[in-house]
Amino acid sequence: VAFTIPKINRFLKVYMVKCNYEQSDKLEVVEVNEIMLRPKEVVCKWVDAFNNHDVEEITSLYHENATNHQVTNEPVVGIEAIRAMFTEEFATADMTAIVENIFEDGQWAILEWKDPLGLRGCGFFHIVNGKILFQRGYWDKLSFLKQHNLPIE
């Protein structure tokens, strides 16, 4: 008897595992295929990594040549530059994104968020092959800087 079951590994990647079951109560794994996450699922993982200030996990969600453009700043291009951006940002302020809505349309996911201090914003994520290729974020930088007692540029 052959059957397929979903399985989640410790890194939250979803796989379809095809197994053969024999009378001896042994399962034989005959095929393992990674399932591509939907854009909404990628953004959910992004929020978890962001809220945990996990630079490596959040960076793993981006394409090698991704662009992260928070409109209050210059675009950040390439995975190493994105890693450096999150490393610096997480060291500067204690940031948390509380999800208000996540919408999905084709290869795009839209995140509407707020933070515990009342700041609100939204992000648009273009997901290609389960990775963030382009991200654009809108939020009030002046309010953010004041709330975190950071110097106003």
Side-chain angles (χ1 to χ4, degrees):
V1 175
F3 59 95
T4 304
I5 57 172
K7 181 174 176 81
I8 301 176
N9 76 359
R10 66 186 200 112
F11 298 107
L12 297 177
K13 289 186 179 179
V14 179
Y15 296 88
M16 290 303 290
V17 180
K18 185 175 180 182
C19 301
N20 285 330
Y21 176 75
E22 298 187 15
Q23 295 291 347
S24 63
D25 293 329
K26 292 182 182 177
L27 288 177
E28 174 190 359
V29 176
V30 293
E31 182 179 342
V32 178
N33 296 311
E34 185 174 352
I35 296 175
M36 212 53 65
L37 295 177
R38 292 178 26 226
K40 187 174 183 176
E41 295 166 326
V42 172
V43 171
C44 286
K45 288 180 68 169
W46 185 93
V47 170
D48 288 342
F50 182 87
N51 288 343
N52 290 322
H53 299 175
D54 188 337
V55 173
E56 292 311 310
E57 179 62 24
I58 204 165
T59 304
S60 75
L61 300 172
Y62 288 86
H63 273 273
E64 198 67 31
N65 299 324
T67 298
N68 183 319
H69 184 198
Q70 303 303 302
V71 297
T72 60
N73 302 321
E74 292 297 315
V76 178
V77 180
I79 200 162
E80 291 308 319
I82 290 170
R83 177 180 282 110
M85 176 194 73
F86 281 116
T87 299
E88 181 180 333
E89 288 180 353
F90 291 152
T92 302
D94 184 16
M95 299 178 288
T96 301
I98 301 168
V99 175
E100 293 196 309
N101 288 297
I102 299 178
F103 303 99
E104 182 178 305
D105 184 21
Q107 293 184 320
W108 288 86
I110 300 100
L111 167 66
E112 182 181 13
W113 57 268
K114 64 181 179 181
D115 77 1
L117 301 175
L119 185 68
R120 293 182 180 278
C122 61
F124 294 81
F125 297 78
H126 185 202
I127 312 296
V128 176
N129 296 326
K131 298 275 189 176
I132 301 165
L133 182 60
F134 180 81
Q135 177 184 354
R136 179 170 287 138
Y138 298 89
W139 46 279
D140 180 353
K141 186 172 184 176
L142 180 59
S143 294
F144 175 84
L145 294 172
K146 286 180 179 181
Q147 288 172 342
H148 292 277
N149 297 315
L150 296 170
I152 296 172
E153 300 171 349

